[in-house]
Amino acid sequence: MPGSLAITLAGESLVLLPDRALWWPRMSLLAIADLHLGKGDHFRRAGIALPKGGTAHDLDRLDALLAQTRVTRLLVLGDLLHAAVHDAHWRDAWMHWRAGRQALSVELVGGNHDRALTARPSVADTLGIHLHGHTLAFAPFLFVHDPAHGADTADTAGYRLGGHLHPVVRLPGVPRLPAFLFGESAGVLPAFTAFAGGWRVDREPGTRLFACAPDVVVDVSG
């Protein structure tokens, strides 16, 4: 796939995609983190002027990835939501998007912004989302939202993959870029939403760092 980068992690062949997603071909699974549906609406209600269309833009990007990879499973590693469940703007956009993809399994590992879904599974059912609680053990990985979750718990063995931190990297002469960060026992996906802040990460021994430029994933582990 143009611009993508294949890596081996915990013995599995994975593909990092420039548009901030991780593809596991063997399991026909696409993983993203921090979609934050309705975040723009939430901020506008708070009086912060932002352009409209953020949710639609993110769903269009997701559509393109699904068309390219042809996966049967979409796994969101927490914070699928940002706005309240009753917010009509993001919900209507989501329901329209979901109605056209009935064959796709949409699954969620609950994050800190997903309490309305994890507390009321019937709401998730209405939205066409399958909940996995706060962890999903899928050997050799443990999918989580916060990559620190389960770090000191023996019964949650597996290489942890999460989001939550919104890692970004700064390279000379270019704006900050979303990044994948992989350490010895845990990895972090970049925030999928185009409207997200970032936690700056630097190249360190023992870690692998990959920047998501607009059309290519670049290994900046150095």
Side-chain angles (χ1 to χ4, degrees):
M1 187 176 299
S4 64
L5 185 65
I7 66 168
T8 300
L9 191 66
E12 287 288 334
S13 297
L14 305 177
V15 181
L16 309 182
L17 303 175
D19 217 351
R20 314 177 195 183
L22 182 150
W23 177 24
W24 190 0
R26 187 172 73 85
M27 292 300 172
S28 190
L29 183 147
L30 185 74
I32 63 172
D34 302 284
L35 182 54
H36 286 281
L37 293 173
K39 187 172 184 177
D41 293 330
H42 175 81
F43 275 73
R44 282 189 291 273
R45 283 197 302 273
I48 301 172
L50 291 172
K52 295 184 177 181
T55 292
H57 173 64
D58 287 341
L59 292 177
D60 285 346
R61 291 171 48 227
L62 187 52
D63 259 348
L65 292 173
L66 294 171
Q68 291 169 347
T69 59
R70 299 184 180 182
V71 295
T72 58
R73 301 177 69 177
L74 170 66
L75 177 62
V76 182
L77 304 183
D79 287 359
L80 181 140
L81 301 186
H82 191 94
V85 170
H86 61 264
D87 189 317
H89 290 90
W90 78 260
R91 191 183 66 241
D92 290 349
W94 172 262
M95 294 301 290
H96 177 76
W97 181 89
R98 189 71 182 97
R101 293 148 195 86
Q102 294 296 322
L104 178 70
S105 176
V106 179
E107 307 172 35
L108 172 66
V109 171
N112 51 294
H113 281 280
D114 298 315
R115 294 186 185 95
L117 297 181
T118 55
R120 298 173 59 195
S122 61
V123 176
D125 289 341
T126 300
L127 297 173
I129 299 166
H130 178 76
L131 293 176
H132 285 292
H134 295 288
T135 63
L136 170 61
F138 195 4
F141 302 112
L142 180 72
F143 292 107
V144 295
H145 177 55
D146 183 345
H149 185 97
D152 55 358
T153 306
D155 63 354
T156 53
Y159 187 93
R160 298 186 311 284
L161 283 174
H164 185 54
L165 301 175
H166 303 189
V168 297
V169 64
R170 289 192 180 277
L171 301 176
V174 298
R176 67 181 190 177
L177 297 170
F180 294 90
L181 175 65
F182 300 106
E184 182 179 345
S185 59
V188 190
L189 276 63
F192 185 78
T193 180
F195 177 42
W199 164 57
R200 178 173 172 172
V201 293
D202 296 308
R203 289 167 281 191
E204 296 181 359
T207 64
R208 301 160 73 188
L209 186 60
F210 302 91
C212 297
D215 299 308
V216 65
V217 177
V218 181
D219 186 346
V220 295
S221 301

